[in-house]
Amino acid sequence: ATGLASGKSLTGLVDRLAAAKMLASHRGSEAEKLLTTLATDSVPSVQTIALEHLFAIDPALILPIIQETVDSPDVAVRRLGADTLIACPTAKNVAVLAQLLDDRDPSLRVHVCNSLVGLRPVASMHDASWEQNPVCTALFQCYLREIAGCVG
């Protein structure tokens, strides 16, 4: 898989896709490192396969590249970024997740909003008052957008 993952030409694309698929059944630091490299590929289909495998191993493996993931032009990649943030709910991650409430894809906005509702009871989010709670803040932003959509 390592040899296949390094190809950058058009035929290299097929090699990178094959490498990402081959790594599905592998575990360990080398597989994770290679999947992380593939998860930052310039081709969304390669990114998606690699991110799915990393997520299956441990969603936290995606956190070092989360900003690239949520900033991707591809909605499938951004959705995997959102799912990673949902699976690893910290105040910092919820703040990044809340940014996706403005995503250009309406289905991702709805997914993020619904997921934030599901995060409401997460214990680690109850450290602050409701005004400082990132889940509450993000839900309030979602609510305001819905009202603006109904009025406008």
Side-chain angles (χ1 to χ4, degrees):
T2 302
L4 292 173
S6 62
K8 297 295 179 192
S9 67
L10 182 56
T11 56
L13 169 60
V14 174
D15 291 344
R16 294 190 317 275
L17 285 166
K21 282 291 198 184
M22 286 173 62
L23 289 165
S25 60
H26 294 276
R27 299 288 183 265
S29 61
E30 278 200 46
E32 292 167 7
K33 182 179 174 185
L34 195 50
L35 283 168
T36 301
T37 299
L38 292 168
T40 60
D41 195 273
S42 61
V43 178
S45 55
V46 175
Q47 286 178 295
T48 302
I49 294 167
L51 288 166
E52 287 171 346
H53 295 322
L54 284 170
F55 191 90
I57 295 168
D58 181 3
L61 292 171
I62 300 171
L63 291 175
I65 57 168
I66 197 64
Q67 200 59 55
E68 291 175 67
T69 305
V70 297
D71 289 343
S72 172
D74 187 81
V75 68
V77 173
R78 292 193 311 275
R79 182 176 295 271
L80 283 161
D83 290 342
T84 298
L85 295 164
I86 293 160
C88 305
T90 65
K92 178 183 173 188
N93 291 348
V94 170
V96 176
L97 181 63
Q99 295 170 7
L100 292 172
L101 289 169
D102 284 330
D103 194 84
R104 60 189 165 273
D105 184 270
S107 69
L108 182 55
R109 290 193 306 265
V110 169
H111 175 65
V112 168
C113 192
N114 290 338
S115 298
L116 285 166
V117 170
L119 286 178
R120 209 169 20 113
V122 173
S124 65
M125 295 290 112
H126 291 294
D127 298 340
S129 68
W130 74 270
E131 297 96 344
Q132 298 168 333
N133 185 306
V135 173
C136 291
T137 302
L139 285 172
F140 186 65
Q141 291 170 355
C142 183
Y143 174 72
L144 290 177
R145 283 184 187 87
E146 288 300 314
I147 289 174
C150 291
V151 175

